[in-house]
Amino acid sequence: MDSRKAVIGIEVHCQLTKLKTKLFCGCSSNYRGNEPNTNVCEVCLGQPGSLPKPNRRAVELAVMAGLALNSKISEKTSFYRKNYFYVDMSKNFQISMYEAGGISTICEGGYLDINVGPKPKRIRITRIQLEEDPARLVHIGPIDLSPYTLVDYNRAGMALLEVVTEPDMSSPREARLFLQKLRSIMEHIGAFDGSLEGAMRCDANISIEGGTRVEIKNISSFKEVEKALNFEISRQQSMMDKGERVVRETRHWDEIRKVTISLREKEEEHDYRYFPEPDIVPLSISGELVSRLRRGLPELPDARAERFIKDYGLPRYDAQVLTSDKTLADFFEESARIFGDPKTVSNWVMGDLLGQLNERGIGIGETGLQPRAFAEMLSMVKSGEISGKIGKIILPELVATGKGPRAIVQERGLSKIGDRDEIARVVDEVFKEQPKAVEDAMRDEKAAHFLVGQVMKKTRGKGDPQLVNEIVRDRLQRERQPNG
Ligand code: ADP
Ligand code: MG
Ligand code: ZN
């Protein structure tokens, strides 16, 4: 790889899943898992004569998102028709927003700071707009090989908040961090649940400094964004190295084959023939509404991280990781409240728990683990009822099953062995097996540690360490006085 820089700008769509209904009709926004094409009405299907009515709460959430992203809130905004012909939008246009003739989208400008290194990096926001989600297209296998396309309109008309950035990101990692932070902010303002399949989708624009840009459409999660961009950087780089020209086009990220494939030449803005939606009056957003929403804004991830540092004494890095996922931050705080020692809770979450979650590729919300059970396990370690090692051993099962720690310890026979005779028997075994070590230990106190370690190993970490220590030392004492 040479030193030419990647230039990345993204357009993210967040479904406002916390709304009860779709953007312009009374259909439920809880469409997931329903029989295809049952969660529809004449408005979201776009039948002639039907009239869309904007969802007030959707407008409020868009303003709150704008405030959280330091944007300017437009006093006046309008819905526009974006015309195109495709099966995912049966009325042949999407109701969206647009900038024209002095009218802007609902929010303009703004920024979000991402934590890439010791210093945060500022990513500028171009604009934020509300628009309706198209229908979901279902393909059989890879999109370009599918013999047919199925259309499910249950999703059509869901409120989407689109956030467009300036091309300020210079690596796939920065793009992922941006999306992760945006997701956490949107979760904190109560706009959506980012763990729902397809609740956050993005189009990524990427060029190699000075080259033509390519748009990768509809990437389904921020984990996939990083992979898609890495692939696209290598593809563009190797084309440039061979002296070939990168063409301006729209590509699709194939999650299964891990490649981008060409879909079509990039459409131009004028192809869409934007014009004001005649069935919806322009929206006026009063200063009073904006102030009320600003006052009602909850604590956002950056402020929450600062509080974790100040109140709980956490390192900055840990505070940032914990607050980059609202559910994780909530889990941490609730566990800390129950257990009482935030630092210990954070260490366990940052280490073993996140390790488990990353291994499984899931968020804490997708496990059965409750703060109460987690705190109970930590209390058992603290009181010496189980060792820290046993805590680590049972954690995967706590995550996988959501069972209580006591039940797991009992089922798996992992209770600490506090029985003197049982430990003495294991000590006997070890002394028989390790005559050399016993000899050393009789002369050198420190060598006794090795014997203690061997006993702990044989009990698979279940021996009460204090008792093991005591019995080993007694035994050595007796060996030293053979007649005693
Ligand atoms: P389009 O006509 O493709 O919709 P926009 O101006 O709306 O163009 O920009 C779409 C996205 O492309 C924005 O997120 C922007 O940051 C990004 N973008 C613009 N120029 C570049 C570039 N040279 N390389 C990568 N991304 C870019
Ligand atoms: Mg655009
Ligand atoms: Zn409807």
Side-chain angles (χ1 to χ4, degrees):
M1 272 253 175
D2 66 19
S3 58
R4 273 175 295 182
K5 224 175 61 176
V7 178
I8 300 168
I10 46 196
E11 301 166 78
V12 200
H13 293 98
C14 298
Q15 277 184 338
L16 301 179
T17 62
K18 293 281 168 121
L19 293 174
K20 290 198 180 64
T21 56
K22 293 182 178 179
L23 184 53
F24 299 116
C25 64
C27 291
S28 172
S29 61
N30 183 15
Y31 68 88
R32 290 176 171 78
N34 288 335
E35 195 60 23
N37 299 308
T38 55
N39 185 42
V40 291
C41 71
E42 62 280 9
V43 174
C44 52
L45 286 177
Q47 289 173 4
S50 63
L51 284 174
K53 276 199 288 267
N55 182 324
R56 185 185 175 86
R57 188 63 192 155
V59 173
E60 292 182 355
L61 285 175
V63 171
M64 286 168 73
L67 293 172
L69 295 172
N70 314 290
S71 305
K72 177 175 164 291
I73 312 300
S74 304
E75 283 169 34
K76 214 169 176 174
T77 185
S78 276
F79 284 105
Y80 271 72
R81 289 189 180 181
K82 178 182 183 179
N83 297 284
Y84 67 88
F85 177 73
Y86 199 50
V87 284
D88 68 1
M89 199 50 97
S90 54
K91 58 184 186 286
N92 291 346
F93 59 84
Q94 176 193 33
I95 306 179
S96 180
M97 286 176 161
Y98 193 54
E99 272 181 62
I103 292 282
S104 328
T105 59
I106 193 160
C107 313
E108 282 183 298
Y111 61 86
L112 185 161
D113 293 333
I114 54 173
N115 308 309
V116 271
K119 269 200 329 234
K121 174 168 177 178
R122 182 152 294 183
I123 308 298
R124 289 168 300 155
I125 307 283
T126 313
R127 62 173 180 275
I128 303 176
Q129 66 189 42
L130 275 172
E131 60 189 34
E132 56 182 335
D133 205 349
R136 195 169 71 91
L137 301 184
V138 181
H139 298 103
I140 309 308
I143 190 169
D144 55 333
L145 300 179
S146 182
Y148 52 84
T149 299
L150 299 170
V151 189
D152 178 5
Y153 286 99
N154 284 350
R155 191 182 79 181
M158 280 291 288
L160 287 185
L161 192 77
E162 185 187 36
V163 177
V164 180
T165 78
E166 293 291 311
D168 286 351
M169 286 152 278
S170 42
S171 69
R173 177 168 168 263
E174 288 183 10
R176 173 172 56 78
L177 289 171
F178 173 85
L179 291 171
Q180 204 161 6
K181 182 97 174 248
L182 180 67
R183 169 176 155 161
S184 184
I185 290 172
M186 294 294 287
E187 288 184 340
H188 277 85
I189 65 173
F192 88 140
D193 176 353
S195 69
L196 292 173
E197 169 91 36
M200 188 172 184
R201 311 190 293 273
C202 95
D203 304 339
N205 290 268
I206 172 153
S207 60
I208 304 285
E209 207 171 21
T212 309
R213 80 174 125 128
V214 160
E215 180 178 25
I216 315 170
K217 274 271 183 217
N218 272 320
I219 311 170
S220 69
S221 72
F222 54 71
K223 288 173 202 131
E224 295 296 324
V225 162
E226 202 170 4
K227 293 183 205 157
L229 287 173
N230 275 319
F231 175 86
E232 194 54 28
I233 289 175
S234 319
R235 191 187 70 87
Q236 292 183 18
Q237 192 78 67
S238 75
M239 284 183 78
M240 288 165 95
D241 290 348
K242 280 185 278 180
E244 290 168 20
R245 269 185 26 154
V246 176
V247 293
R248 182 86 194 274
E249 62 180 353
T250 299
R251 298 179 72 86
H252 166 82
W253 170 241
D254 186 325
E255 286 185 16
I256 300 156
R257 291 176 295 183
K258 309 280 177 226
V259 293
T260 63
I261 52 177
S262 179
L263 281 186
R264 56 176 181 267
E265 267 181 34
K266 172 75 189 162
E267 56 289 296
E268 301 281 337
E269 194 137 289
H270 61 248
D271 293 336
Y272 291 124
R273 296 288 184 272
Y274 276 96
F275 69 88
E277 165 62 65
D279 288 338
I280 304 175
V281 295
L283 305 176
S284 293
I285 300 168
S286 69
E288 191 225 331
L289 175 67
V290 175
S291 315
R292 179 168 68 74
L293 293 172
R294 192 190 295 278
R295 280 195 306 274
L297 271 188
E299 182 184 45
L300 297 171
D302 281 343
R304 198 171 189 188
E306 291 305 325
R307 182 166 59 79
F308 282 10
I309 295 167
K310 197 163 136 282
D311 292 2
Y312 301 141
L314 303 190
R316 179 161 298 271
Y317 175 77
D318 298 19
Q320 283 167 353
V321 170
L322 292 174
T323 54
S324 70
D325 173 346
K326 177 172 186 293
T327 322
L328 186 67
D330 291 346
F331 178 89
F332 159 74
E333 280 212 275
E334 181 61 7
S335 305
R337 192 186 62 76
I338 301 169
F339 180 63
D341 171 5
K343 203 68 191 287
T344 301
V345 176
S346 169
N347 289 342
W348 275 81
V349 172
M350 292 292 297
D352 289 86
L353 183 55
L354 277 181
Q356 272 298 312
L357 296 176
N358 292 340
E359 199 172 294
R360 284 159 205 254
I362 53 174
I364 185 75
E366 293 150 80
T367 74
L369 182 57
Q370 296 300 314
R372 186 154 294 285
F374 190 61
E376 187 179 356
M377 185 272 284
L378 299 181
S379 301
M380 288 165 76
V381 173
K382 190 174 174 201
S383 71
E385 190 177 335
I386 56 173
S387 63
K389 190 169 161 220
I390 297 294
K392 287 172 201 277
I393 290 174
I394 66 171
L395 190 65
E397 201 168 329
L398 277 172
V399 171
T401 64
K403 278 190 206 158
R406 280 213 165 69
I408 297 173
V409 164
Q410 225 155 49
E411 271 172 28
R412 293 180 49 180
L414 291 171
S415 310
K416 195 177 257 187
I417 304 170
D419 182 79
R420 195 168 272 278
D421 292 343
E422 202 176 334
I423 290 177
R425 221 183 37 247
V426 181
V427 172
D428 277 345
E429 273 176 40
V430 169
F431 272 56
K432 266 196 208 103
E433 289 164 15
Q434 311 271 0
K436 174 84 182 55
V438 172
E439 221 172 277
D440 290 347
M442 274 163 47
R443 274 179 275 110
D444 177 9
E445 271 293 310
K446 275 185 233 139
H449 288 315
F450 173 78
L451 293 170
V452 171
Q454 291 298 304
V455 176
M456 290 304 285
K457 200 167 153 196
K458 264 195 188 270
T459 62
R460 304 206 325 272
K462 296 187 301 181
D464 179 338
Q466 227 174 328
L467 199 56
V468 171
N469 221 346
E470 191 185 311
I471 295 176
V472 167
R473 273 162 219 282
D474 278 1
R475 196 52 219 269
L476 284 171
Q477 198 58 30
R478 272 188 285 137
E479 298 275 336
R480 288 194 193 100
Q481 313 161 325
N483 310 323

